[in-house]
Amino acid sequence: MKVSLISVIIGLAVQSALAAPKANKQRANSPLLIDPDAQPSLPSARVAQAAAAAAGLNITDVQGDILIGMKKNKELFFFFGIKDAATFKSKLSSDIAPLITPTVSLLPGSTPPNTAVNIAFSKTGLDALGVTDDLGDASFAGGQFTDATALGDPGTGNWVPGFAGTNIHGVLLLASGTVDDINDELASIQSALGDSVTEIYRLQGAARPGNQEGHEHFGFMDGISQPAVVGFTPNIHPGQMQVPAGNILLGEDQDATTRPDWARGGSFLAFRQLQQKVPEFDKYLVDNALNVPGLTAEENAELLGARFIGRWKSGAPIDLAPLHDDTDLANDANRNNNFTFDHPEIPGFDITTNQTLCPFSAHIRKSRPRDDFSPNESVVRPIMRAGIPYGPEVTDAETASQASSSDPSLERGLAFVSYQSDLNTGFRFIQQNWVDNANFFFGKNRNYVSLILANVLSGNLNSPGVDPIIGRDSSASSVAPADSDRVVSGSDPLDSAHLFTLDIDFVVSRGGEYFFSPPISALTGQLAQ
Ligand code: N7H
């Protein structure tokens, strides 16, 4: 049965009237963290400690960045090489380990440091320290440089030189309320480490200013949908994915891989510097605005952007607010994740064909397909996203020319960070098998979504295309060159067959590296020996 846009919207209005009461936020108490309403709040130190104790999790040994999400105000990534392993080990144990901020110190109710410090090591970094234990992750062992084309990058020509190779041994992550405080802390760390390390590259991130706090550079609120980790987040919001600690932390509950004992409570950190072409993205939306009756041209351009992402700029999901942004919905953590892409309450709605509400290609549907893998989201690929925007705001000159400046000091984007216990089933799987897979549902998981697949095969549906934001088809024998056409369907709510040809990469990979963020105890133990 065909369902009109209008009947779908009426069905949604009924659902919205039955919405749960608004969540009460527990505020973070430090200028080093932001806490926008749309993001899930952190548990208090007391509540998290009780949950952790019950689950056998030691959150005073887990580094602070891993579980708190995209909440840093200012954050510096300082990438280094180790020149003198013996001195570095000794300083790591005596001077650096005491500075490392555990999870519990960043939670409401605790006394946070002025500047939080975390540290993580690449495979070549562990090798340099003489730590050769197998951590059980082939992608980590191989490093990101050799993984570039598998991730859809058009080679490594656009990579920051420091990332192109295997010279980066580690990264220090410093977060604070001000860049000055970060620089002071870094200076004292550098003075402690002396010549045992050398700087390879640094990237300064910052939450965007004013009412854009928490929004990434295209303007969309980020960090809304994060997994609730058993033993850390006891209060789960409706629609939040609950995952065992072993999905994010090595050696914890339901981590199926054998790990060295000393690595328990650590996590793999995928870092990517992702440049965002903001004026070009905005121009594309205006030039290709939708044609939904009753909306202005500007609203039709905004709607196309929202359908590329799957959320409005406020963070409201289009699956619940299909035609207009809804800030109240966005800011209510009890509602802003409470959707599955399926709508049994709407008569005749068929999740396998109906893209009226959210396209199959939308960024959030590609990266978390929810009920497309029904029943009960059976294929879970949890990652804890912990990135931060970098670079300045768009200048007036860029807005006027509708093009990003070539001035390197004006580069902007997302310092993408995700934590997971297995790169190949976490970040890498999402990027390769869902985001970069133009056929998405044709993939290895065809049995889960066989109905959708059947619709595509029988010609009732177009191939969804790659994720319009970060997807680049990597299935061919060689990856397509930068800015080659990417074709996306489903983005027009009135005509899902309408194809959008994206002739520019809105997001450009500048490279990155895979790291292991060890438990704090390892900094004075295994890594210092
Ligand atoms: Fe995405 N964006 O603004 O377009 N992302 N992302 N991401 N992302 C999300 O729910 C964005 C990137 C995920 O559970 C939102 O938090 C940008 C990579 C996942 O429903 C927005 C870039 C990968 C989710 C963005 C970028 C992911 C998610 C909605 C790069 C992994 C949660 C807010 C410049 C391979 C999906 C939210 C869920 C959400 C944006 C990168 C994954 C607005 C600009 C590389 C799993």
Side-chain angles (χ1 to χ4, degrees):
M1 188 202 299
K2 226 173 158 44
V3 188
S4 73
L5 184 58
I6 199 75
S7 65
V8 164
I9 291 166
I10 291 168
L12 277 182
V14 172
Q15 191 189 32
S16 163
L18 301 171
K22 191 166 174 161
N24 285 326
K25 275 206 92 105
Q26 178 133 33
R27 295 287 162 187
N29 57 348
S30 159
L32 84 76
L33 296 179
I34 61 168
D35 196 12
D37 283 337
Q39 293 185 354
S41 26
L42 293 169
S44 72
R46 189 182 52 77
V47 166
Q49 268 172 319
L57 197 65
N58 182 0
I59 55 170
T60 55
D61 198 30
V62 174
Q63 294 199 54
D65 196 40
I66 299 173
L67 298 175
I68 65 160
M70 304 185 74
K71 289 188 181 289
K72 275 77 60 181
N73 188 346
K74 307 273 188 287
E75 185 175 21
L76 177 73
F77 301 89
F78 179 85
F79 301 93
F80 60 88
I82 299 168
K83 287 202 309 188
D84 171 353
T87 307
F88 179 81
K89 279 169 179 258
S90 139
K91 296 291 181 187
L92 180 66
S93 176
S94 61
D95 291 56
I96 308 302
L99 297 177
I100 301 299
T101 311
T103 309
V104 71
S105 301
L106 294 175
L107 303 180
S110 67
T111 310
N114 193 38
T115 302
V117 182
N118 275 200
I119 193 166
F121 297 91
S122 66
K123 173 66 168 75
T124 57
L126 293 183
D127 288 347
L129 297 177
V131 177
T132 53
D133 289 354
D134 181 3
L135 293 185
D137 193 294
S139 301
F140 170 71
Q144 198 177 112
F145 183 57
T146 56
D147 221 15
T149 50
L151 297 175
D153 289 7
T156 53
N158 274 325
W159 278 37
V160 168
F163 292 130
T166 56
N167 289 338
I168 290 178
H169 290 152
V171 57
L172 281 157
L173 301 89
L174 292 95
S176 194
T178 70
V179 170
D180 283 349
D181 285 347
I182 287 178
N183 289 338
D184 288 350
E185 187 74 10
L186 179 64
S188 93
I189 291 174
Q190 283 181 299
S191 131
L193 291 173
D195 289 339
S196 68
V197 296
T198 182
E199 173 175 356
I200 294 182
Y201 178 59
R202 68 172 80 185
L203 185 65
Q204 177 66 59
R208 294 187 53 220
N211 67 5
Q212 289 302 296
E213 186 176 270
H215 297 244
E216 51 66 62
H217 275 291
F218 291 140
F220 295 84
M221 177 58 78
D222 211 348
I224 302 167
S225 180
Q226 297 274 33
V229 175
V230 175
F232 176 65
T233 13
N235 301 322
I236 305 153
H237 296 299
Q240 211 177 356
M241 177 168 32
Q242 192 185 28
V243 301
N247 280 187
I248 307 294
L249 300 169
L250 274 67
E252 300 295 351
D253 183 37
Q254 293 187 40
D255 174 14
T257 307
T258 306
R259 320 282 189 179
D261 285 348
W262 63 265
R264 180 173 179 189
S267 187
F268 292 110
L269 185 175
F271 182 88
R272 299 271 281 165
Q273 180 172 334
L274 299 173
Q275 179 182 9
Q276 292 177 253
K277 300 276 190 75
V278 179
E280 289 83 348
F281 179 73
D282 290 343
K283 177 175 174 2
Y284 187 90
L285 299 183
V286 170
D287 290 351
N288 297 275
L290 294 168
N291 208 8
V292 174
L295 300 188
T296 63
E298 197 183 333
E299 287 170 337
N300 266 305
E302 271 177 34
L303 178 60
L304 180 61
R307 290 180 66 85
F308 279 170
I309 307 283
R311 289 187 185 269
W312 294 92
K313 287 190 169 171
S314 69
I318 56 167
D319 200 52
L320 299 180
L323 289 183
H324 296 280
D325 201 346
D326 180 343
T327 313
D328 284 347
L329 169 61
N331 289 342
D332 187 344
N334 277 337
R335 290 198 291 146
N336 65 17
N337 255 315
N338 196 12
F339 60 96
T340 63
F341 306 122
D342 197 8
H343 292 275
E345 79 285 4
I346 298 173
F349 186 94
D350 180 351
I351 188 177
T352 67
T353 52
N354 194 316
Q355 303 184 72
T356 321
L357 293 166
C358 186
F360 297 135
S361 56
H363 176 63
I364 67 158
R365 195 162 180 176
K366 282 274 192 182
S367 55
R368 182 186 169 195
R370 302 189 186 223
D371 265 13
D372 293 326
F373 285 92
S374 190
N376 306 322
E377 208 168 2
S378 48
V379 183
V380 177
R381 302 288 170 188
I383 57 175
M384 189 65 84
R385 289 171 299 131
I388 188 167
Y390 72 89
E393 295 292 294
V394 173
T395 63
D396 291 347
E398 288 175 297
T399 304
S401 67
Q402 298 185 308
S404 298
S405 165
S406 56
D407 177 348
S409 71
L410 291 180
E411 179 182 328
R412 63 187 64 80
L414 182 68
F416 175 87
V417 171
S418 74
Y419 290 99
Q420 54 271 292
S421 61
D422 186 332
L423 287 163
N424 208 34
T425 59
F427 159 74
R428 199 171 180 278
F429 185 95
I430 294 173
Q431 182 75 47
Q432 202 174 34
N433 292 289
W434 290 344
V435 161
D436 287 346
N437 183 353
N439 293 323
F440 187 58
F441 302 111
F442 285 112
K444 295 168 192 143
N445 302 302
R446 57 169 56 204
N447 50 328
Y448 294 107
V449 283
S450 52
L451 286 175
I452 297 175
L453 174 68
N455 280 320
V456 176
L457 289 178
S458 64
N460 289 338
L461 266 184
N462 283 309
S463 166
V466 296
D467 176 326
I469 306 301
I470 55 165
R472 302 193 78 259
D473 192 344
S474 56
S475 60
S477 53
S478 64
V479 180
D483 296 332
S484 46
D485 286 356
R486 303 176 296 138
V487 181
V488 170
S489 75
S491 308
D492 185 340
L494 301 176
D495 176 13
S496 65
H498 178 166
L499 301 180
F500 290 82
T501 301
L502 314 175
D503 55 2
I504 181 162
D505 296 337
F506 302 130
V507 170
V508 174
S509 167
R510 306 272 283 124
E513 185 52 287
Y514 299 135
F515 297 94
F516 177 58
S517 175
I520 298 170
S521 53
L523 303 176
T524 51
Q526 189 74 12
L527 301 186
Q529 283 158 17

